[in-house]
């Protein structure tokens, strides 16, 4: 399984809206993100040059963070601001994992590589599959399957190829997932017997302010 973060956005507008119910905007203490700035300078010899200042990311204030944690842990209705914080990520996983991940549709959008358009174009090789379950064992048990898949590909038998394609076949999807959906996934799958869910939940814990998802406070806020 391979997980590559693309972007995270929405903290500032989500926190802004979080204070609407009690009209408590005067208590907001977070700092919004800032765009990168380009500043021109002139040295003693009249030479002009420019420097980029990197953008500053969103910074949680302590009061906002306390309220956000309280609401997030109070349930989906009170924690609805989490639906406005969004992650974009590339996930490469087996058909086994994707079949389970497709359970989660609310707050999740996916754009996948297409078996229909690409499966028949390239030779079927071992690196297209996750064979970690067979690690340390003889390869003869599954090599025949891959040989059959390749023969069907060369013969143009797309339907037959799909019918015997192993569930270990890896597929990449670009996913847009809200923090609310990730919270649901994390608490439902953290101790799942499928090891890919452990990998995915470990990755969730690396996201900015992931305590909003896990419910576990971190030091340093």
């Amino acid at each position: 399984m391979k997980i590559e973060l693309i972007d995270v956005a929405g903290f500032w507008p989500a926190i802004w809206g979080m204070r609407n119910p009690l009209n408590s905007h005067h208590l907001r203490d977070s700092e919004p993100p800032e765009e990168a700035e380009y500043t021109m300078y002139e040295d003693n010899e009249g030479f002009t040059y420019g420097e980029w200042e990197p953008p500053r990311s969103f910074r949680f204030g302590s009061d906002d963070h306390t309220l956000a944690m309280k609401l997030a842990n109070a349930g989906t209705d009170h924690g609805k601001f989490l639906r406005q914080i969004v992650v974009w990520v590339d996930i490469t996983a087996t058909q086994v994992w994707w079949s389970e991940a497709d359970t989660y549709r609310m707050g999740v959008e996916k754009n996948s590589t297409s078996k229909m358009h690409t499966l028949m174009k390239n030779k079927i090789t071992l690196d297209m599959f996750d064979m970690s379950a067979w690690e340390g064992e003889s390869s003869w048990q599954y090599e025949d399957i891959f040989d059959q898949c390749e023969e069907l590909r060369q013969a143009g038998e797309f339907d037959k190829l799909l019918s015997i394609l192993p569930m270990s076949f890896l597929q990449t999807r670009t996913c847009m997932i809200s923090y609310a959906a990730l919270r649901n996934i994390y608490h439902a799958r953290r101790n799942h017997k499928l090891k890919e869910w452990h990998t995915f939940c470990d990755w969730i814990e690396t996201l900015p302010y992931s305590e909003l998802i896990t419910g576990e406070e971190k030091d340093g806020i």
Side-chain angles (χ1 to χ4, degrees):
M1 188 177 201
K2 185 178 181 181
I3 306 173
E4 298 173 283
L5 179 65
I6 300 172
D7 199 4
V8 181
F11 274 102
W12 178 245
I15 297 309
W16 182 283
M18 176 188 74
R19 288 198 173 275
N20 280 341
L22 295 180
N23 196 25
S24 60
H25 297 283
H26 61 287
L27 298 176
R28 187 173 54 247
D29 59 351
S30 297
E31 296 181 33
E34 293 180 350
E35 299 293 333
E37 294 184 0
Y38 188 73
T39 307
M40 299 297 297
Y41 298 95
E42 184 175 311
D43 63 17
N44 294 332
E45 298 179 358
F47 178 76
T48 302
Y49 63 97
E51 288 185 356
W52 281 104
E53 292 290 335
R56 189 193 72 202
S57 60
F58 168 84
R59 295 176 184 172
F60 240 128
S62 60
D63 288 346
D64 282 342
H65 186 267
T66 297
L67 177 59
M69 287 296 294
K70 179 180 179 180
L71 293 174
N73 288 330
T76 56
D77 290 344
H78 292 289
K80 59 188 175 183
F81 73 96
L82 294 175
R83 303 171 197 169
Q84 297 180 331
I85 304 171
V86 182
V87 177
W88 289 263
V89 59
D90 270 355
I91 303 173
T92 302
T94 65
Q95 304 302 291
V96 175
W97 189 82
W98 281 122
S99 66
E100 294 199 359
D102 283 341
T103 298
Y104 302 97
R105 299 183 182 275
M106 295 298 294
V108 182
E109 296 291 340
K110 311 182 190 78
N111 193 358
S112 66
T113 53
S114 172
K115 291 194 289 289
M116 178 69 71
H117 293 104
T118 62
L119 185 59
M120 303 297 284
K121 292 182 178 180
N122 301 303
K123 181 180 180 179
I124 294 177
T125 58
L126 188 61
D127 60 2
M128 294 179 177
F129 303 85
D130 179 2
M131 303 307 299
S132 57
W134 293 85
E135 187 174 357
E137 298 188 37
S138 175
S139 62
W140 67 266
Q141 295 98 325
Y142 51 80
E143 284 183 350
D144 285 346
I145 298 175
F146 296 140
D147 289 342
Q148 291 177 45
C149 288
E150 177 58 18
E151 289 174 5
L152 290 171
R153 186 194 71 83
Q154 292 183 18
E157 298 281 2
F158 180 70
D159 290 342
K160 291 180 180 178
L161 173 55
L162 279 184
S163 72
I164 69 166
L165 191 69
M167 290 292 284
S168 59
F169 180 75
L170 293 166
Q171 185 180 41
T172 299
R173 302 186 190 183
T174 299
C175 301
M176 183 183 76
I177 315 175
S178 72
Y179 264 42
L182 287 171
R183 185 179 173 97
N184 185 26
I185 291 170
Y186 183 87
H187 291 283
R189 301 282 176 163
R190 188 69 187 95
N191 298 309
H192 197 274
K193 64 181 179 180
L194 190 66
K195 61 182 178 62
E196 285 89 346
W197 283 117
H198 294 256
T199 300
F200 189 73
C201 289
D202 287 345
W203 169 77
I204 287 175
E205 293 174 1
T206 70
L207 290 171
Y209 304 113
S210 63
E211 63 271 19
L212 295 174
I213 300 171
T214 66
E216 298 178 3
E217 289 279 7
K218 290 183 179 180
D219 295 331
I221 298 299

